[in-house]
Amino acid sequence: MDWSKMTFFERFEADILSGKKTITIRDEAEKGYVPGSVVQVSTYEDDRWFCELKILSVTPIKFSELTEFHAEQENMTLPQLKDVIQEIYPGIESLYVIQYQLVSDH
Ligand SMILES: CC(=O)Nc1ccn([C@@H]2O[C@H](CO)[C@@H](O)[C@H]2O)c(=O)n1
């Protein structure tokens, strides 16, 4: 795993660049991002670079503990966020909230 790179589904690019989406929620496989480090961000679909993000924190969270506050930071409602996560990580209870800040974009 290259911890200086992160991918997002293309449909979230605009929300990340506008600062409306300030966290991502990932599974065990992505818990190794280092707070304080800067990662190169590209689209999952075609590996197109679109910005740099500074990792602020990586915090364990159970799927069942997700709240409106997490949803707000994803620019979604809580039911929408739960649907998205169930789609990407079906049946996974142990997740990680990765908080980030936009450093630079194109
Ligand atoms: C492409 C890839 O490798 N994996 C993921 C995994 C998650 N996410 C987004 O994080 C939030 C909560 O999971 C939601 O906004 C998700 O859509 C993403 O964009 N890409």
Side-chain angles (χ1 to χ4, degrees):
M1 185 79 184
D2 184 347
W3 300 110
S4 68
K5 289 185 175 163
M6 184 181 277
T7 58
F8 283 88
F9 296 112
E10 204 167 48
R11 65 186 193 273
F12 299 110
E13 178 179 357
D15 276 1
I16 293 166
L17 294 178
S18 69
K20 287 180 188 162
K21 173 169 158 63
T22 58
I23 61 168
T24 182
I25 297 172
R26 304 292 170 110
D27 69 358
E28 289 275 345
E30 297 197 63
K31 68 176 181 190
Y33 285 102
V34 181
S37 68
V38 173
V39 300
Q40 303 302 315
V41 177
S42 54
T43 59
Y44 174 75
E45 289 83 355
D46 53 10
D47 200 30
R48 174 178 47 79
W49 182 93
F50 68 91
C51 72
E52 286 185 333
L53 295 178
K54 185 178 201 173
I55 305 296
L56 299 180
S57 58
V58 181
T59 311
I61 183 95
K62 299 290 179 206
F63 179 82
S64 54
E65 292 169 357
L66 289 170
T67 66
E68 288 289 352
F69 182 57
H70 297 108
E72 207 176 288
Q73 295 173 89
E74 288 270 13
N75 195 34
M76 294 181 205
T77 65
L78 186 55
Q80 277 172 339
L81 177 61
K82 288 189 161 182
D83 280 355
V84 165
I85 292 176
Q86 282 292 15
E87 222 175 88
I88 305 172
Y89 304 119
I92 304 292
E93 175 71 4
S94 278
L95 298 165
Y96 295 82
V97 179
I98 302 178
Q99 193 186 3
Y100 54 76
Q101 171 190 309
L102 189 63
V103 177
S104 68
D105 59 30
H106 48 248

